[in-house]
Amino acid sequence: MTLAMTPQTEYTGGRTFFKHMGVDNILQMDVGHATFRPGSVRHGGHRVTSGTRYVLGAFLLLEDHVEHVRRLKNRGSELRTSRRLHEAINHFQWALALNPRCTTCLKDWAEILLSQKDYAQAEQKIQSALEMLEGLDSDALFTLGLILSEQGKDEESIAIYKRSIELNAEDAELCYNLGIKLGEIGDTRGELSLYKRATEIDPKMGGAWINMGITLAEAGDLESAEPMFLKAIECCDDVKTKGMMNLAVLLHKKANNLAANGDLNGAKMANNAAAKLVDNAKPLLNAKMAIGGLSPEDAMFAKQSKPLRVQIHRLCGQILAGQGDLVGCENEFRTASERFGDIPGIWDALARVLDLQGKSEEANQARQKLTEIRNSQ
């Protein structure tokens, strides 16, 4: 049953969807109104466009009737959550032996098979569920889209994702996944629109903010990409380092562009911001590494951190030299040599700026260090 708890004057949209209601499939329920139905009737909340709507949902169970299939399915889901997958599959099999039309069992089983990369069996299970659901279940279509995507069947997976989105345009993860697939086939406009939709549904979806930033940056729109990475950094720890490193790369590129166009002050500010991001990301990456928690992407950023920081030092020194601040330039390269003493280019740059200041003896010492490093490599 569903009981409406809010007067209709306090929200716009809303109402309750019933698949078999007829015209519009939408039932208006003012405060105090309730609906009762068999559990198998397909229904759901319709979108609220403004205000807030509260409903109270309840289930009525018959005291003298044990729902074995429901209990087996629920227990299977619990076992799946605790990663006891073989036991979970047994429970879904037992439930389906009692009721071969238990679509939720088939969907959960398909998701387990997907995680085990048994794509053929996973697709068979989810297709069976969709046949019984008349192809009108967005969750099952989403799972099918994942299965097809993992097999490299891009065109088929995109078509399935689009069918799913027609049924449920409020699924942030669905919009995000479809955006990725459209990006892979070069539909940048469609890709960006779906990432935008995903973040409107779930503003904390860091992956969508990251992908928007990357797509915009690759298209050369650095100004629009920058706030996307800032949004990602604010979202959650899972994507924080990814956002920081992507933004550092963007700001360093921006600094290079500004320097090339003669805006040394702007270049210095952008480059310093990039330096701060890399320095702040490094301990976060080290902490993940210490507990063995580096994802493949984090591992890539950990590897990228040093060469990027060296490039930032080098650009900073060049900017300072261009501004006539040779002392500042020297200090920058000395700091770089202390942090990354195995990089030949740093000692070469330090020797050059020392020469410009007439510090020949110190310049020769820097060149000697440069020779030692090159001979050891």
Side-chain angles (χ1 to χ4, degrees), residues 15-33:
R15 300 174 293 176
T16 302
F17 164 88
F18 289 96
K19 177 185 171 185
H20 299 97
M21 277 291 294
V23 180
D24 295 331
N25 302 93
I26 302 297
L27 178 68
Q28 294 193 32
M29 293 172 59
D30 205 348
V31 61
H33 290 195

Side-chain angles (χ1 to χ4, degrees), residues 195-210:
Y195 293 149
K196 184 175 183 293
R197 181 65 188 139
T199 56
E200 288 171 349
I201 299 166
D202 180 7
K204 291 297 183 181
M205 178 162 268
W209 291 115
I210 289 283

Side-chain angles (χ1 to χ4, degrees), residues 102-322:
C102 180
T103 55
T104 52
C105 292
L106 287 167
K107 289 193 290 183
D108 279 19
W109 192 351
E111 289 175 10
I112 291 175
L113 292 166
L114 171 60
S115 71
Q116 296 173 332
K117 301 187 184 303
D118 187 349
Y119 303 125
Q121 287 293 320
E123 186 172 347
Q124 182 183 39
K125 296 288 183 282
I126 207 69
Q127 289 284 20
S128 296
L130 280 165
E131 285 176 17
M132 286 183 274
L133 294 165
E134 301 174 10
L136 296 174
D137 187 277
S138 62
D139 290 335
L141 287 168
F142 175 64
T143 301
L144 178 57
L146 286 174
I147 294 167
L148 294 169
S149 177
E150 287 295 317
Q151 297 176 83
K153 299 177 180 178
D154 290 341
E155 291 186 7
E156 293 176 64
S157 68
I158 287 170
I160 293 297
Y161 282 141
K162 286 181 176 179
R163 281 176 56 192
S164 181
I165 241 174
E166 288 174 3
L167 295 170
N168 182 12
E170 303 301 308
D171 188 327
E173 188 176 357
L174 171 57
C175 293
Y176 173 64
N177 279 29
L178 180 53
I180 291 173
K181 299 308 297 183
L182 292 178
E184 289 174 355
I185 64 170
D187 183 359
T188 302
R189 180 177 294 181
E191 177 188 15
L192 287 171
S193 69
L194 282 160
Y195 293 149
K196 184 175 183 293
R197 181 65 188 139
T199 56
E200 288 171 349
I201 299 166
D202 180 7
K204 291 297 183 181
M205 178 162 268
W209 291 115
I210 289 283
N211 284 10
M212 267 198 288
I214 292 172
T215 302
L216 289 165
E218 288 177 347
D221 189 354
L222 303 186
E223 293 301 321
S224 297
E226 187 172 338
M228 302 300 112
F229 294 133
L230 288 169
K231 287 283 189 181
I233 291 168
E234 296 170 0
C235 282
C236 58
D237 290 341
D238 287 345
V239 298
K240 187 172 185 178
T241 50
K242 188 175 181 180
M244 294 169 78
M245 291 298 292
N246 272 289
L247 183 55
V249 170
L250 181 149
L251 290 171
H252 178 59
K253 183 175 182 179
K254 181 180 178 180
N256 272 299
N257 292 342
L258 290 168
N261 291 322
D263 184 358
L264 296 183
N265 286 329
K268 185 176 180 180
M269 289 178 61
N271 201 52
N272 287 344
K276 185 176 180 180
L277 285 162
V278 176
D279 291 343
N280 288 342
K282 185 172 176 55
L284 298 177
L285 290 167
N286 289 342
K288 289 183 178 182
M289 192 180 300
I291 60 173
L294 277 184
S295 67
E297 284 183 317
D298 280 335
M300 178 189 71
F301 288 125
K303 186 177 181 180
Q304 182 187 21
S305 176
K306 178 179 176 179
L308 176 58
R309 194 62 180 87
V310 169
Q311 291 172 20
I312 291 169
H313 275 300
R314 183 176 287 118
L315 180 58
C316 184
Q318 292 169 352
I319 292 169
L320 290 166

